[in-house]
Amino acid sequence: MGEVVRESAVKQSDRASTAPVLSENARAVLEKRYLIRDKSGKITENPEELFRRVATAVASVESAPDEWTKKFHHLLTTLDFVPNSPCLMNAGRRLGQLFACFVLPVNDAIVSDNDDGIFDTMRSTAVIHQSGGGTGFDFSRLRPEGTRIASTNGRSSGPLSFLRVYNATTETIHQGGFRRGANMGVLRVDHPDILDFIRLKENLGEMNNFNLSVGLSGEFMESVRQDQPHQVINPASGERTPLREKIRDTEGSLAGFEKKEWTAREVFDL
């Protein structure tokens, strides 16, 4: 069966034109974001040259690069397969960074010896965006707003404050110099700051460089089915408490919590 597939692919390749089949809109997007430009900003390649550049670079690591260049080039020019944006932008060029998605750890420290503290990761994010990649983070390890910090006797500002800093950093560094940076931010549904996280995009001016996702658990879904009170867990201490609405003072600082306890179903509906 493998021989039949191979023979069919060869016949298709023989019939295929080497010129990419592109709409007017597709060519406009390529010119705006993907085609190589010189120092003055003038475009120096056409779509056919882009596909040849990408096919040659990706196939260069194979044992038979010429053969694989032809196969990959055929897939590109027929639009049967088109790789991600960093691959189109960077293949065969100095950066050579072909990956679109990076998942980075965010541990509960400003900086860390393991290079995974909040601002260590922010630095890595800037470098990845500069090369055209996107980034995803789970902020669930960060202690909630108002948690006492033993080393300074101060209070934690919570994960949302750092989400906003990441968003602002992304605003200044476009992905590969071609487009806005893209991030995915996740917070577990049992994090004490989950209500603020869910509501974060109610203000349309907030977090324009982030997609946000709530991390659900089997325990939470079972609580939804049974309409039970929702328990949250402080990641710094492991303490479980009922979820209550925050009370803020006139300056917006955390001043306490309401008496009413949220149910898992109410959180799910929100």
Side-chain angles (χ1 to χ4, degrees), residues 112-125:
S112 164
D113 291 339
N114 295 323
D115 207 32
D116 59 3
I118 296 166
F119 283 90
D120 297 316
T121 297
M122 190 179 299
R123 180 190 62 220
S124 299
T125 300

Side-chain angles (χ1 to χ4, degrees), residues 160-179:
L160 268 66
S161 64
F162 294 110
L163 259 164
R164 291 185 173 99
V165 175
Y166 275 54
N167 185 70
T169 300
T170 303
E171 191 70 37
T172 64
I173 302 178
H174 285 201
Q175 285 184 302
F178 291 98
R179 58 181 181 171

Side-chain angles (χ1 to χ4, degrees), residues 9 18 26 29 64 68 82 90 123 127 154 192 243 248 254 259 265:
T18 58
V29 171
W68 283 102
V82 179
N90 298 328
R123 180 190 62 220
V127 173
L243 178 63
R248 299 190 179 277
L254 180 62
K259 291 183 178 180
R265 184 170 295 173

Side-chain angles (χ1 to χ4, degrees), residues 56-63 65:
T56 302
V58 172
S60 64
V61 297
E62 301 294 342
S63 57

Side-chain angles (χ1 to χ4, degrees), residues 45-261:
E45 71 176 354
N46 58 40
E48 165 60 22
E49 290 168 333
L50 177 147
F51 286 138
R52 177 65 62 182
R53 165 172 60 82
V54 173
T56 302
V58 172
S60 64
V61 297
E62 301 294 342
S63 57
D66 291 344
E67 177 185 350
W68 283 102
T69 296
K70 291 178 182 178
K71 291 180 178 180
F72 194 23
H73 186 259
H74 169 70
L75 291 173
L76 290 169
T77 55
T78 57
L79 303 183
D80 286 342
F81 174 78
V82 179
N84 60 31
S85 288
C87 189
L88 294 175
M89 294 171 180
N90 298 328
R93 303 180 69 182
R94 184 179 60 83
L95 282 176
Q97 197 289 95
L98 309 185
F99 293 95
C101 303
F102 294 78
V103 179
L104 301 178
V106 184
N107 275 321
D108 193 29
I110 295 298
V111 294
S112 164
D113 291 339
N114 295 323
D115 207 32
D116 59 3
I118 296 166
F119 283 90
D120 297 316
T121 297
M122 190 179 299
R123 180 190 62 220
S124 299
T125 300
V127 173
I128 290 169
H129 284 183
Q130 191 176 37
S131 70
T135 44
F137 322 89
D138 183 354
F139 290 91
S140 302
R141 296 189 185 115
L142 303 188
R143 68 193 75 187
E145 180 186 10
T147 303
R148 194 177 75 83
I149 302 172
S151 59
T152 62
N153 216 25
R155 298 284 175 176
S156 167
S157 58
L160 268 66
S161 64
F162 294 110
L163 259 164
R164 291 185 173 99
V165 175
Y166 275 54
N167 185 70
T169 300
T170 303
E171 191 70 37
T172 64
I173 302 178
H174 285 201
Q175 285 184 302
F178 291 98
R179 58 181 181 171
R180 291 173 61 147
N183 302 290
M184 168 63 78
V186 177
L187 196 71
R188 285 179 58 99
V189 72
D190 54 13
H191 191 284
D193 290 347
I194 191 60
L195 295 180
D196 291 339
F197 182 81
I198 294 171
R199 293 167 174 155
L200 188 51
K201 284 201 171 189
E202 289 181 352
N203 178 353
L204 297 181
E206 284 263 39
M207 309 307 293
N208 289 330
N209 301 297
F210 265 87
N211 292 318
L212 300 179
S213 289
V214 177
L216 302 183
S217 65
E219 179 183 358
F220 172 74
M221 294 307 297
E222 188 58 34
S223 295
V224 172
R225 293 186 187 98
Q226 298 183 21
D227 198 19
Q228 294 177 336
H230 183 49
Q231 295 277 313
V232 292
I233 305 170
N234 187 322
S237 64
E239 179 185 9
R240 297 175 70 101
T241 55
L243 178 63
R244 293 186 173 94
E245 194 80 56
K246 293 177 180 177
I247 299 173
R248 299 190 179 277
D249 61 23
T250 55
E251 296 182 350
S253 299
L254 180 62
F257 296 90
E258 295 182 357
K259 291 183 178 180
K260 178 189 176 298
E261 298 180 6

